[in-house]
Amino acid sequence: MATLTNEQIEQKKQQLKQLAVEVKQLQEELIAAGAMELDENDLDQAAGGQSSYKKIPSLNGTSGNSSEGERMNTNPRPKLY
């Protein structure tokens, strides 16, 4: 691995920040044009969900994914049948 000076590291960090801004702008343009869909995190935030996405383990031992409909029931009241 190449050794970088502190100045080079700072330049790379600034470049990375700028590129991240550009990527976000491009994504927003593509979403607005209908050429790209919002990801799950963006949809959760728009719907008032939590800002960070965490996989919730399902009860059968496999890792759950909210996009597959496997969410934990957080309702404190049980369903009465």
Side-chain angles (χ1 to χ4, degrees):
M1 180 182 256
T3 303
L4 300 174
T5 66
N6 286 340
E7 184 178 335
Q8 290 172 321
I9 291 171
E10 289 304 314
Q11 288 174 346
K12 298 267 184 209
K13 285 182 180 181
Q14 285 295 55
Q15 183 181 8
L16 183 60
K17 284 180 186 179
Q18 181 59 36
L19 289 172
V21 168
E22 290 178 32
V23 167
K24 184 174 170 102
Q25 289 172 342
L26 288 170
Q27 284 178 330
E28 289 172 356
E29 289 176 24
L30 288 170
I31 290 168
M36 186 176 179
E37 293 183 10
L38 290 172
D39 70 4
E40 284 294 317
N41 291 336
D42 292 335
L43 290 174
D44 284 344
Q45 284 180 316
Q50 294 179 342
S51 61
S52 62
Y53 175 77
K54 295 181 183 177
K55 283 191 175 183
I56 300 171
S58 67
L59 297 177
N60 64 8
T62 61
S63 64
N65 186 329
S66 62
S67 66
E68 297 171 359
E70 295 181 8
R71 291 188 183 244
M72 280 182 130
N73 182 3
T74 57
N75 187 351
R77 292 184 236 158
K79 291 182 180 178
L80 301 174
Y81 295 102

